[in-house]
Structure formats: structure tokens, C-alpha cells
Amino acid sequence: GAVVSQHPSRVICKSGTSVKIECRSLDFQATTMFWYRQFPKQSLMLMATSNEGSKATYEQGVEKDKFLINHASLTLSTLTVTSAHPEDSSFYICSARGRGRTGASEQYFGPGTRLTVT
Amino acid sequence: DAKTTQPNSMESNEEEPVHLPCNHSTISGTDYIHWYRQLPSQGPEYVIHGLTSNVNNRMASLAIAEDRKSSTLILHRATLRDAAVYYCILRDVGGYDKVIFGPGTSLSVIP
């Protein structure tokens, strides 16, 4: 299957600072990217959907000014957690959707980024 | 969104088959049944999907009930590496929907 990478895999930041997480589709063009958040012992929660060159669409309850999403190219999306607080500590997972080899739309997931805010 | 229900957790002995059930009584005619799994501290990975007929791949088999209101993911020989959370998700045939995760089934494999 296609490969989606995330960087960094782990990050620790101080409360009040901002942190940027990158998501890249390595061998296909991702027309749509998704960002999920997962707290311990819980399922993945969709935060937002972004299409290349457009503003992201946020799920209900997700603060768009706190979680800035940029999808500037067909292979890169970034999530910036602004003014991070300890309650933002979580596992952030991106997902990319694009045309697979069969031509069908498929969605692939990154390995996740563990954010710890101290 | 059409919903699925799965048991919260299951256990299996290593090297034995595992049958993970999923109920989706409100499935529509254009919904594919997808299975993903998430190993500890990793992102989800695709396992298998099907529409009406049973499907096999190198990872697992998918058995779909004739009325499509339920399905079963079959791991033919569980290994310790199969310990994960397994998610059964309905997706529109076009694949342009968002993947929404439920609680899934946490599978433990006993050595």
C-alpha cells in the first residue's frame, strides 16, 4: 500500500508554545488529508479534513484557531497546535487519500505523532 | 453514517483462529465493509474490505452474511503481532467519505 509519513514521531513542548506536525504522502498525490487525535484507551477522533489548496473543514468542537491546518501541496499537510497546554497532549494521526494504482480512492494512515505538553 | 457494533474485547490463544464479529444492521446497498487495525502506538492500517462476497488476502479473510447485516473478520492463525484494536467501518462505494472510527475490538493474543 501507499506510504504516509509523519514528523516528528514524538515531541515534547512547554505549555504556551506552538508545535508543528508534518504529514507527507510519499508515493502518491493526496488530494485530501485528514487529521485525527487519540487519547489513551480511546478511539481515533477526526479533527479536520483538508483539501489541497483549500481551507480545512473542522469537526464540531475542534477549535480551528488552536489547530491550524495547512495543505499547501498534494504531498504535504501540516498541523500546528498553537499555545499548547497539557490537555493537548495526545497521539495525532494524519491520513491521506488519493488515487491508488487501481484508480480507486483509498485512505492511508501515518504512524502518528506523540505530543506531550509539560 | 451507518453504524457498526463490535465487542469491546476478545482473547485468543496464539496459533489459533480468531473470529472477530461486526454487526451493521443499517448498512446500505452502496456501503463497503472495511476493516482496519491499530497496533499499539501506531497508526491504523488497512486489513481488508468487501461488498457482498467473502474476501481473502494475505492478512485475513472477511466473511459477509448473505443479508450483509453482519460480517466476521477471520485471522486464520493468531500471532502475538496480531494483538491490536480492530475496527469495522462502513464506507461508501466511492471511497470519498471520511473514515470515522468506533471503539473497535481490542484483541489480546495469549502465548
Side-chain angles (χ1 to χ4, degrees), chain A residues 1-4 25-28 96 99-101 106-109:
Chain A
V3 178
V4 176
S25 57
L26 298 184
D27 53 358
F28 69 103
R99 289 288 177 184
R101 294 187 187 88
E106 298 179 9
Q107 189 166 333
Y108 302 96
F109 292 86

Side-chain angles (χ1 to χ4, degrees), chain A residues 32-107:
Chain A
T32 305
M33 285 189 170
F34 306 86
W35 286 95
Y36 294 81
R37 179 170 55 180
Q38 185 176 35
F39 293 109
K41 305 293 184 186
Q42 295 187 24
S43 188
L44 288 80
M45 185 194 79
L46 180 64
M47 299 174 67
T49 302
S50 71
N51 294 302
E52 186 260 340
S54 303
K55 287 185 178 180
T57 301
Y58 291 81
E59 296 296 308
Q60 190 172 6
V62 178
E63 301 173 60
K64 62 180 181 180
D65 294 331
K66 181 168 185 63
F67 299 99
L68 302 179
I69 292 171
N70 183 282
H71 189 173
S73 79
L74 285 172
T75 59
L76 173 64
S77 176
T78 60
L79 168 68
T80 302
V81 183
T82 62
S83 187
H85 288 96
E87 57 265 30
D88 298 322
S89 298
S90 188
F91 193 48
Y92 291 87
I93 300 165
C94 77
S95 178
R97 182 171 70 202
R99 289 288 177 184
R101 294 187 187 88
T102 62
S105 176
E106 298 179 9
Q107 189 166 333

Side-chain angles (χ1 to χ4, degrees), chain B residues 19 57 73 88 90:
Chain B
H19 291 231
N57 66 21
L73 179 71
C88 169
L90 301 182

Side-chain angles (χ1 to χ4, degrees), chain B residues 41-61:
Chain B
S41 298
Q42 295 188 28
E45 62 176 342
Y46 164 83
V47 177
I48 200 167
H49 78 279
L51 184 63
T52 56
S53 303
N54 295 344
V55 185
N56 299 298
N57 66 21
R58 65 175 180 80
M59 288 181 72
S61 295

